[in-house]
């Protein structure tokens, strides 16, 4: 789905971090250091989501959503910014799995940073 369709229908498009993560898993064999650094950051971000799931399991849906928003603002946002900075600093050979992972991330960045 593209931006124009989401805007036309009044919603914000968000992309999936799991799909971005999968690209870096594919790149890890050929570029273990760079891919692993980003994967570790993504893992920390997923850990925050898991923590929110646990803490939010005993509260109302509304309170759980507020908790998720608070954790994302306090913790996840900084991690996402770090991922962006790390990705921007990596030099990869054109056509390599790492270059493809970085391009995937860059192409979807605006929609990966929707919280």
């Amino acid at each position: 789905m593209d931006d124009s369709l989401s805007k036309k229908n009044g919603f914000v498009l968000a992309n999936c971090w799991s799909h971005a993560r999968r690209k870096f898993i594919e790149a890890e064999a050929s570029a273990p250091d760079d891919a692993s650094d980003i994967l570790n950051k993504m893992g920390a971000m997923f850990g925050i989501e898991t923590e929110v799931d646990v803490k939010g399991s005993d509260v109302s849906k509304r309170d759980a959503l507020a908790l998720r928003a608070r954790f994302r603002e306090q913790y996840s946002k900084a991690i996402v910014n770090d991922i962006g900075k790390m990705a921007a600093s990596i030099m990869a050979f054109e056509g390599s799995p790492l270059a493809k992972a970085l391009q995937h991330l860059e192409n979807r960045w605006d929609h990966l940073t929707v919280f």
Side-chain angles (χ1 to χ4, degrees):
M1 184 171 295
D2 65 25
D3 283 331
S4 60
L5 187 56
S6 64
K7 289 176 184 174
K8 180 181 174 183
N9 290 303
F11 60 89
V12 176
L13 181 63
N15 283 148
C16 176
W17 277 97
S18 293
H19 288 102
R21 181 178 178 270
R22 189 174 308 128
K23 298 289 185 185
F24 283 93
I25 290 171
E26 293 169 4
E28 196 171 23
S30 60
D33 293 337
D34 291 326
S36 293
D37 288 345
I38 289 182
L39 286 168
N40 287 337
K41 289 285 185 185
M42 289 179 179
M45 187 174 55
F46 290 156
I48 291 166
E49 294 296 311
T50 300
E51 185 176 348
V52 170
D53 288 343
V54 170
K55 290 183 177 186
S57 65
D58 294 333
V59 298
S60 71
K61 177 94 169 164
R62 183 179 183 155
D63 289 344
L65 289 172
L67 179 67
R68 185 171 307 280
R70 206 167 43 252
F71 268 59
R72 285 179 174 174
E73 183 63 33
Q74 279 183 291
Y75 307 111
S76 300
K77 191 174 184 178
I79 294 170
V80 168
N81 289 335
D82 286 346
I83 291 169
K85 289 175 189 171
M86 290 169 67
S89 72
I90 295 172
M91 301 296 284
F93 291 109
E94 187 175 337
S96 69
L98 182 59
K100 290 176 183 177
L102 291 166
Q103 190 63 56
H104 181 88
L105 193 69
E106 182 180 338
N107 290 346
R108 290 157 182 81
W109 188 253
D110 289 344
H111 301 296
L112 286 167
T113 57
V114 172
F115 283 95

